[in-house]
Amino acid sequence: MLLQLNNIFKWVQSGGSRIFLLKDINLTIEEGEFISIMGPSGSGKTTLLNVIGMLDDFNEGEYTFLDESVHTLKEKYRINLYKQYIGFVFQAYHLMDELTVYENIEMPLLFKKYKTAERKALVADILDRFNIVGKKDLFPSQLSGGQQQLVGIARALISKPKLILADEPTGNLNSKQGEEIMELFKQLNDEGVTIVQVTHSEKNATYGSRIINLLDGRMTKN
Ligand SMILES: Nc1ncnc2c1ncn2[C@@H]1O[C@H](COP(=O)(O)OP(=O)(O)O)[C@@H](O)[C@H]1O
Ligand SMILES: [Mg+2]
């Protein structure tokens, strides 16, 4: 088991009442799964992904990640945990405009104790794998959306995470670029990386092995 959410509730206080963002989420994810989270806009998909990624906290319930009780961890330890095991891919890429492709991809390694030579080797490998060696000295604004997303995924993968969390990763791409990203996810999943993606696309969901449907913050039966 990679992670488990038990009876997770998340709410925000508004005047005298609670607005629930997540209601009674119970979810177990095994290593090697490829899961798609679906549901209408505002149903809590991003919130759930952020809870799984430890970027958002929650008000009630228990979260276990690789035998660690996330809900009881001190912040510093929690940050170390997700930096070590989780890679994030966002719809809007979130690349640093003033850094080159190379520097963007190298970034997560700077937070860890990699030596310069190790960093160089890792970045070179991933540039090669993603066929973007020729782009390494360009800035994000000089790339197409599809290429920027490839760089975003390369950056998410550089520190070899066990889990990739992707929030509508093809949302800004044309269908061919989107398919390439999905094929890449499938390949990574075949290599053992666990993937949880938020998607609106039935077609993208078919790349995964399981669908979680959300409605008003609650998981609905399939
Ligand atoms: N910090 C917040 N305060 C108040 N409401 C929020 C907050 N974050 C999200 N919401 C609301 O919670 C609901 C779920 O949001 P979100 O997880 O972004 O949905 P989705 O990704 O499915 O579109 C939405 O109605 C959103 O407006
Ligand atoms: Mg969202």
Side-chain angles (χ1 to χ4, degrees), residues 34-48:
F34 185 167
I35 293 176
S36 301
I37 301 176
M38 303 189 81
S41 183
S43 57
K45 303 182 297 296
T46 295
T47 307
L48 178 56

Side-chain angles (χ1 to χ4, degrees), residues 10-14 19-22 37-50 56 167-168 198 200 214 216-217:
K10 180 175 174 64
W11 64 75
V12 290
Q13 203 68 34
S14 167
I19 300 171
F20 283 88
L21 309 188
L22 294 176
I37 301 176
M38 303 189 81
S41 183
S43 57
K45 303 182 297 296
T46 295
T47 307
L48 178 56
L49 207 69
N50 287 346
D56 273 7
D167 196 352
E168 302 190 44
V198 169
H200 284 290
L214 282 183
D216 298 332

Side-chain angles (χ1 to χ4, degrees), residues 125-160:
D125 278 354
I126 209 148
L127 286 168
D128 199 32
R129 161 162 199 179
F130 282 36
N131 258 315
I132 47 175
V133 178
K135 312 278 183 213
K136 73 180 170 55
D137 296 321
L138 298 182
F139 292 91
S141 61
Q142 299 173 293
L143 304 175
S144 72
Q147 289 165 342
Q148 289 185 56
Q149 190 55 300
L150 271 181
V151 174
I153 296 171
R155 185 187 50 188
L157 284 174
I158 190 76
S159 43
K160 300 194 176 14

Side-chain angles (χ1 to χ4, degrees), residues 5-11 18-27 36-49 60 211-222:
L5 302 175
N6 287 320
N7 308 111
I8 297 285
F9 289 79
K10 180 175 174 64
W11 64 75
R18 285 174 179 175
I19 300 171
F20 283 88
L21 309 188
L22 294 176
K23 282 183 207 155
D24 200 17
I25 301 290
N26 291 284
L27 176 62
S36 301
I37 301 176
M38 303 189 81
S41 183
S43 57
K45 303 182 297 296
T46 295
T47 307
L48 178 56
L49 207 69
E60 241 177 69
I211 294 175
I212 288 164
N213 284 297
L214 282 183
L215 187 64
D216 298 332
R218 223 180 246 289
M219 283 170 65
T220 58
K221 295 259 169 1
N222 292 309

